[in-house]
Amino acid sequence: MKNKLSLMLSLSLALSATGQASKANDTLDVGYERVILTLNPYATTDRLPLVLAHNWGDTLLVRDPASGKLVPHLATSWKKVNATTLELKLRQGVKFHNGENFNADSVVATFNYAVDPKNPNPGADILRWIDKAEKVNEYTVRLISKKPAPIALETLSTSAIMLPAKYLKEAGAAGLAKNPVGTGPYRFVSWKANTMTFKANDSYFGGAKTKPKISNLVVHMIPEESSRVAALTTGELSLVRPGGISSDQAPLLARNSELKIDSADILRFWFLQMDATGRSGVEYFKNPKVRQAVYMAINRDEIEKVLLGGYAQTIDTPCNPAQFGCDAKAAKTYKYDPVAAKKLLAEAGYPNGFTVDLYGYREQSVAQALTGYLAKIGIKANLKWYGGQYDVASQSLAAGKVPLWFGSWGANSVYDASTGMDPFFSRGGEFVYIKDPAVQNALANAGITISSAARAALFKSAIARVTDQAYWVPLFSGKVIAGMRANLNWSPSNDEIDRYWLASWK
Amino acid sequence: MADVTVSSPETAPRKPVSFFRQLRRYPSALVGGVMLVAILAVTLLAPVLFGQDPMLQDIMARMRPPSWYAGGDPNHLLGTDQVGRDTLARVLYGGRTDLFVAGLTVLLSGSFGITMGLIAGYVGGRVDYWISTLIYAVWSFPTILLALVIVAVLGAGLPNLILALVITSWAPFARLVRSQTVALREREFVEAANALGAPTRRILFRHLMPNLMSSILVIATNEFGHVLLSAAALSFLGLGVPPEIPSWGGMLNEARNYLLGMAWMAVIPGVAIFVTVLSVNLIGDGLRDLLDPRIRNN
Amino acid sequence: MTYVVQRLIQAVLVTFILSLTTFGLLYGVKDPARILAGPDATAQDIVRLRQTLGLNEPLPVQYGKWLGRATTGDFGRSLFTDEPVFDVIRPRIRYTLQLTFSALVLALTLGLFLGIQASLRRGSWIDVVANMLATAGQAVPNFWLGLMLIILFAVQLRWLPVAGSGGWKHLVLPTLTLASGLLPVIMRLTRSSMLDVLSQDYVRTARAKGVSERQVTVKHALRNALNPIITVVGLQVGALLGGAVVTESVFAWPGLGQLAVQSITQGDVPIVQGIVLLTALSVVIFNLMSDLLIGLVDPRVRYG
C-alpha cells in the first residue's frame, strides 16, 4: 500500500506543474463569478453579458473614464434637432466581424429590435425613451423620443451596443444569444460549456477605444469563489473580474507576491428595501415606526468597517452620491440604536417581533449579518438566499413577493440619480414596493426636465421624502475588487464595464 | 427474475443475550458504539453543557481561528464563522439537526421498506413482481438528483427534506427483506404456523420479523450513514436544511467561500460528518461480522 | 419465457414507472404551471406556460403527449433561454460520461486489485490497511474530500488544476473524488466474495490437484466471485451518477450534474426533467446489461 501511494505521488509529480503561462499563450483568462445564460445584452439585466458586449461590440458614443465626458465613437458627431430629436453622424468604413458594413441601417435595426415592445428586452429598458429610429442617409440617423430625455446620450454610451442589420434579421435573438456579432475590439469565437473564447479583432477601427494588446480572451465561468481564487493562485486564471473577489479574500491575495489586487469605487450601491405598501402580503412595514426600527437596528458602520474590511462606503441616500442629483445632505439618517429600535417596535405593536422572509443574492455575509441585527430586536428574518443568481432572485422581486429585499443596484452605469431611484420609487415598474405620490411626482418631473438646477432640486425633495419615511435602509456604496497575476497591467473601472482591450503584460 | 443478493447470511433464530455477549468479541462495533454514544451525548446535551447560542452573531469577533491558533479566542474554542457565530456551538447544534434528519429518515424508510419487502416476499406472485419492479425503478434514479428535484418541487424545509430522503432510501430495506422472506417462507417454522392457521399478519410480524431483525440492523446502520451523507450533500448544494437551522452540510456550504486561508471552517464540520458516519459504519461492520456465520466460525 | 425476455419486459415496465415519476413530480403535486415556472415566476410566465403546455387537457392525455414527445428526444424548451432541452443537455453528456467512466474504471481496477490481495492474504497488513481505508472511504463525504483535494493538490502542491475542464489533468481530482465512494464497496465485496469462493469445495479440489495458485485465483475464484460484483456495480451506477451531481459542482466540471443543479436553482424544470429521465434511463440500461452479463458469466442465474 505504501508502495502504491508513493507510486501515485511520483506519477502526479511527473504530470509537472499546471501553472499555465498565460503570457506565453498571450491569453487573458478571466474568471467570472456566475454562469450566464445569454450573450445578448438586451435580453437580460445581468451585467456580465453587457460587460462582454462592450468588448465584442461598440456603442455610438463612449464615456471617457478619466474625464467623465462623452466622446465620439461609432458616431462622429451629434446634435439636438429639437427637444425630442437627436441626429447622429456615423463613422464610415467600419465593418462588423461578419463583414457587414456599419451604417444607418445597422443603427435603425438595432434600436427597432431593442426597444420593440414585442421583444421582452429588459436590458433595453433604459433605452425606451426612444420612440423610433430613422435613417436620414447612409451615415446619418435620427433618434426620436416622445418626451424630452435628459439622459439620452448617457444611455447611448452605456447600453446601446450596435448590431449588424442583416445578421440580426437572419439569426434573430437566438443567434445573438449564442453567437454575437459586433464591431468591437474582440471577436466572439466559441462558447463551450462554461468557457467562452474571443480573439482580438485585428482590423479594429479604434475610435475612442484601442486595439487590444492581448490577442486571446477566454472567459471561465466559475461560480465558486474559492475555486476562482485558487485558479488565480495557480495561474489558470490571469484575472478574476472585479466583483469576483470578496473583501474577505482580498487580504489573502494581497499577501501573495505573485498576485495583486485592485479595486474601484463603483456606482453600485446596496440597500435594504421594505415593502411599504404590503404588496407582498406582509403588512408590518406599512408602519413607519417598524421601518424606522429596522433602520436603527442595523449597524451600518460595523458592516462597512468590519464585515467588508473597508471595501465599502456607508451611504445615507437611496442612490449613489457619485450620481448627479444624489445629494447626501438631503438625506435624513437614523442612528444605530438597537434598544431604541426595540422600543419603537413595541410602540408599533410588536413587542415580541415577528417573522419575515429576507431575500438576498450577493454579499452573503452581509445578508446573514442583517438577519443577525434584526434578530437582536426580535425580528426573525429567514434568509432566502439566491447565491449569485440575480436572474432568479429578481424574478421574485418583480413578482411582488419580497417583503425585505437586500438588494444592490448598478444604476445602469449612468451617473444620474434618476437611474438609481426610478426603478424602485417611480410610478409603475416591476420592482416598485413603495408608492409615495410626493416621490413619484418629483421623479416623474425630473425625467422630463432639462434644466440641471431644477432636476437637482427635484431629486433633493425625493431623497428627503424617501429617507424621512425610512422606506429603505441605505447601506453602502461599493468597491469592487479584482484579483490578477502580478504580471498583468489592468485596472477595474468605476462603471463596472471591464475594458479588456486595455490589458497588457508587463 | 435474477435473485442475486448482495449477502445472504444464513439467518437462524437467535437469542438477544448471546448477541450482546458476542459484541465484545467485535472491537469495531464496540469502538463505533462508544463513539456514537459520545457523539449523541454531546449533541443532545449541547444546550445544557454549553451555553452559546449557535445563531448569535458577533461581527467584531468574526472569522476567528480555533483557539489554539495564533489569533484564536479562548471564548471560541473552535473559532467563529464569517458573521462571528461560534463554530463549536454550530457544530453541536448542527449535529442535532443532522442526526435527527438521518435518524427519522432511516426509521421511516426502514418501516416502509420492510413492510414492502415482507409483503412482496410473503405474498409473492404478481404483488412481488410489481413491488420488485418498483424497487428496481427507485434504484435507477441517481439518488441525490432525485432528492434534489423533490426538495426543489416541494420547497425547502426539514419535512420535505426528510420526505425526499425517505423516498430515495427505502429500496435497500425492501430488497433485503424481500429476498430473505422468500428464503424463510419455505422454512418449517413458517409452514407450521401457516398450517396451524395463524393469520398472515401474525406470521409476518411474529415469526418472520424477528429472524430478519439482525440483517435489517446491518442495513439500517449502512443507510444511516448514506442518508447522513446525502443530507449533508443536499445542504452543501444549498437545497437541504434551510440556512436558519444550523447543519453540518450548511456549514460546509458557507465555508466553501473561505476555503483558502480559513480552511478550518470547512475542516471542522467535515470531520464531524466523517466521525459520525464512521462510528455508525463501524457498528455496522461489527454487526455484520457477528452475524456472518462463515466469519464467526473461523 | 426465457430470462432475457423476462428481464427486458421488466426493464420496459421500469422505464414506464420512471417516465411517470418524472412527469408526475412536476404535474402531480400542485398547480403544474406554477411548479414548472418555479416558485417565483411572474403571472405572465404562468400564462405563457399554460398555453404552451396545453394544461387544460386531462392528465393522461398530457402524459401521453409528453411521453410521445420525450421518446423523440423532445423535452420542451428551457424556460430561461428558450432553447430546446436536448440542445442544452447534449454537449454536457460527454463530460459526465468521461467522469463517471473514469471513476468506474478506477474504482473497479483498484477495488478488484485490493480486494483480491486482501482476500489472498487475509489478516496480513495489506488486508488490515485496505479494510481501514475502505471503512474511512465510506464515511467521507465525497464533496468534502473534493474540497480537501483541491486545497492539497491544486493549491498547495500545484500539481493539478483547481476546476473546470480542459486536458486530462482536469479529470484527475474529480475522478478520485467520485471514485472514493464506490471503491470501498467494490474492494470489500471482492474480498468477501473471494473469501466465500476460496472456501468452496471445488477450489479446494483444484488446489489439491496441484493447480497453480495464480490459476486458482483467476480461473476459479475470481470468475465465480465476479457475479455479485457485477450486480453491485449495476446497483451502484445510480449512486455514482448522483455523486457526479455533487462532484461536478465542486469542480465546476461542465457535465449534466452541474447543469442539473444550476437548472434546479433557476427552476428550469424541463431541463431538470430531461436530465433526470436521461440519467435514470441510462442506469436501467446499464443494469440490464449487467444482469445479462451475469447470465453469461453464470448460467445458473437463469433458473434463479
Side-chain angles (χ1 to χ4, degrees), chain A residues 198-348:
Chain A
F198 299 82
K199 259 197 158 19
N201 175 7
D202 294 326
S203 47
Y204 188 55
F205 69 93
K209 301 184 187 173
T210 59
K211 268 191 189 181
K213 299 182 182 71
I214 297 177
S215 37
N216 301 292
L217 168 67
V218 181
V219 171
H220 306 263
M221 295 180 278
I222 308 176
E224 285 311 313
E225 184 179 8
S226 47
S227 301
R228 263 190 325 269
V229 172
L232 183 67
T233 316
T234 61
E236 288 161 60
L237 294 178
S238 18
L239 170 68
V240 173
R241 178 179 188 266
I245 302 279
S246 69
S247 53
D248 284 337
Q249 299 284 343
L252 201 73
L253 297 185
R255 280 201 295 273
N256 187 333
S257 62
E258 290 176 28
L259 308 175
K260 61 182 178 185
I261 54 170
D262 196 356
S263 63
D265 290 306
I266 51 166
L267 267 189
R268 185 170 296 274
F269 55 95
W270 280 255
F271 54 90
L272 182 66
Q273 170 170 283
M274 291 168 269
D275 177 6
T277 49
R279 181 178 167 198
S280 64
V282 173
E283 308 274 314
Y284 308 120
F285 305 110
K286 284 167 105 170
N287 188 331
K289 281 187 177 162
V290 174
R291 299 199 297 265
Q292 212 176 312
V294 168
Y295 197 131
M296 293 166 74
I298 292 163
N299 190 342
R300 300 185 300 155
D301 204 40
E302 195 173 64
I303 292 177
E304 178 204 329
K305 296 204 170 69
V306 184
L307 210 51
L308 298 173
Y311 285 103
Q313 174 74 51
T314 302
I315 57 167
D316 301 324
T317 45
C319 45
N320 190 320
Q323 292 177 309
F324 170 79
C326 190
D327 185 354
K329 288 193 289 289
K332 183 169 177 183
T333 57
Y334 302 87
K335 264 184 109 150
Y336 169 62
D337 187 345
V339 179
K342 208 165 160 44
K343 232 161 96 191
L344 262 176
L345 207 57
E347 279 172 33

Side-chain angles (χ1 to χ4, degrees), chain C residues 20 31 33 52 54 66 93 101 121 123 127 135 207 241 281 287 293 296:
Chain C
L20 206 61
D31 176 7
T52 50
W66 178 80
I93 296 174
F101 184 73
R121 288 170 221 162
D127 187 17
T135 309
R207 272 192 183 136
L241 281 168
L281 260 181
N287 271 317
L293 194 64
L296 290 177

Side-chain angles (χ1 to χ4, degrees), chain B residues 27-50:
Chain B
S28 73
L30 201 63
V31 171
V34 170
M35 279 163 67
L36 187 63
V37 169
I39 292 165
L40 282 172
V42 292
T43 50
L44 293 181
L45 295 176
V48 186
L49 294 173
F50 197 75

Side-chain angles (χ1 to χ4, degrees), chain A residues 158-208:
Chain A
T158 58
S159 306
I161 304 291
M162 291 299 120
L163 305 170
K166 231 174 93 200
Y167 181 74
L168 192 58
K169 201 171 166 193
E170 284 161 8
L176 201 56
K178 293 285 155 192
N179 211 339
V181 173
T183 56
Y186 280 101
R187 169 168 62 79
F188 172 81
V189 178
S190 69
W191 180 354
K192 283 192 190 112
N194 295 336
T195 310
M196 290 174 206
T197 309
F198 299 82
K199 259 197 158 19
N201 175 7
D202 294 326
S203 47
Y204 188 55
F205 69 93

Side-chain angles (χ1 to χ4, degrees), chain A residues 24 33 39 45-46 51 53 55 68 70 175 191 197 225 239 250 252 254 274 298 307 353 433 488 504:
Chain A
E33 66 269 31
L39 277 166
T45 50
D46 189 346
V51 167
N55 284 277
L70 294 168
W191 180 354
T197 309
E225 184 179 8
L239 170 68
L252 201 73
M274 291 168 269
I298 292 163
L307 210 51
Y433 284 73
L488 184 72
S504 64

Side-chain angles (χ1 to χ4, degrees), chain B residues 20-31:
Chain B
F20 283 109
R21 197 174 293 160
Q22 298 245 11
L23 199 62
R24 270 184 299 164
R25 290 181 50 204
Y26 296 92
S28 73
L30 201 63
V31 171

